[in-house]
Amino acid sequence: VQEVLRELGKMYDVHFQIEDKEILQCHFTGQFDNLALKEALDILSFSLHMSVDFVNNKIIQLSGQGKCQ
Protein backbone atom coordinates (compact mmCIF):
# COMPACT_ATOMS: atom_id res chain seq x y z
CA VAL A 1 0.00 0.00 0.00
CA GLN A 2 2.88 2.33 0.67
CA GLU A 3 3.88 2.22 -3.00
CA VAL A 4 0.26 2.68 -4.13
CA LEU A 5 -0.09 5.79 -1.97
CA ARG A 6 3.22 7.14 -3.22
CA GLU A 7 2.08 6.75 -6.83
CA LEU A 8 -1.37 8.22 -6.17
CA GLY A 9 0.29 11.15 -4.43
CA LYS A 10 2.40 11.84 -7.51
CA MET A 11 -0.47 11.35 -9.95
CA TYR A 12 -2.92 13.60 -8.13
CA ASP A 13 -0.50 15.96 -6.34
CA VAL A 14 -1.78 15.09 -2.87
CA HIS A 15 -0.18 14.11 0.45
CA PHE A 16 -1.41 11.30 2.67
CA GLN A 17 -1.44 11.42 6.46
CA ILE A 18 -1.54 7.90 7.86
CA GLU A 19 -2.97 7.54 11.37
CA ASP A 20 -2.62 3.77 11.57
CA LYS A 21 0.82 2.77 10.28
CA GLU A 22 -0.32 -0.87 9.93
CA ILE A 23 -2.12 0.25 6.77
CA LEU A 24 1.29 0.66 5.14
CA GLN A 25 2.09 -3.02 5.72
CA CYS A 26 -0.96 -4.20 3.78
CA HIS A 27 -0.56 -5.55 0.27
CA PHE A 28 -2.80 -4.34 -2.51
CA THR A 29 -2.88 -5.60 -6.05
CA GLY A 30 -4.95 -3.70 -8.53
CA GLN A 31 -4.90 -1.33 -11.40
CA PHE A 32 -6.23 2.21 -11.41
CA ASP A 33 -6.67 3.13 -15.04
CA ASN A 34 -8.41 6.44 -15.69
CA LEU A 35 -10.02 6.62 -12.26
CA ALA A 36 -10.68 9.78 -10.34
CA LEU A 37 -8.76 10.00 -7.07
CA LYS A 38 -11.94 9.51 -5.04
CA GLU A 39 -12.76 6.31 -6.95
CA ALA A 40 -9.28 4.88 -6.33
CA LEU A 41 -9.49 5.77 -2.63
CA ASP A 42 -12.95 4.24 -2.37
CA ILE A 43 -11.52 0.95 -3.66
CA LEU A 44 -8.60 1.08 -1.23
CA SER A 45 -10.76 2.02 1.75
CA PHE A 46 -13.21 -0.80 1.06
CA SER A 47 -10.44 -3.34 0.51
CA LEU A 48 -8.45 -2.37 3.60
CA HIS A 49 -11.29 -1.43 5.97
CA MET A 50 -10.05 2.10 6.47
CA SER A 51 -11.61 5.53 6.32
CA VAL A 52 -10.55 8.33 4.05
CA ASP A 53 -11.03 11.97 5.01
CA PHE A 54 -10.15 14.92 2.83
CA VAL A 55 -8.54 17.53 5.09
CA ASN A 56 -8.21 19.95 2.19
CA ASN A 57 -7.53 19.65 -1.51
CA LYS A 58 -3.94 18.53 -0.94
CA ILE A 59 -4.03 16.42 2.24
CA ILE A 60 -5.89 13.16 2.66
CA GLN A 61 -6.06 11.45 6.04
CA LEU A 62 -6.24 7.66 6.22
CA SER A 63 -7.31 5.93 9.40
CA GLY A 64 -8.82 2.69 10.51
CA GLN A 65 -7.78 -0.73 11.42
CA GLY A 66 -5.76 -1.51 8.32
CA LYS A 67 -7.06 -5.05 8.20
CA CYS A 68 -4.99 -6.92 5.68
CA GLN A 69 -6.45 -10.09 4.25
Side-chain angles (χ1 to χ4, degrees):
V1 168
Q2 189 168 8
E3 182 64 29
V4 172
L5 295 177
R6 184 178 303 123
E7 290 301 316
L8 288 174
K10 288 180 196 175
M11 289 173 57
Y12 296 100
D13 191 26
V14 295
H15 175 75
F16 294 96
Q17 290 181 335
I18 314 298
E19 285 194 4
D20 182 353
K21 299 299 182 192
E22 287 185 31
I23 291 170
L24 298 175
Q25 303 307 314
C26 294
H27 295 280
F28 180 83
T29 303
Q31 194 169 348
F32 298 131
D33 289 332
N34 300 317
L35 290 180
L37 176 60
K38 182 172 180 343
E39 292 173 309
L41 292 175
D42 284 347
I43 292 168
L44 277 176
S45 65
F46 179 79
S47 299
L48 302 177
H49 307 281
M50 65 182 186
S51 64
V52 176
D53 296 306
F54 288 81
V55 177
N56 62 37
N57 289 338
K58 296 290 182 186
I59 298 175
I60 299 165
Q61 185 173 16
L62 304 177
S63 58
Q65 299 174 3
K67 293 182 181 177
C68 303
Q69 299 295 334

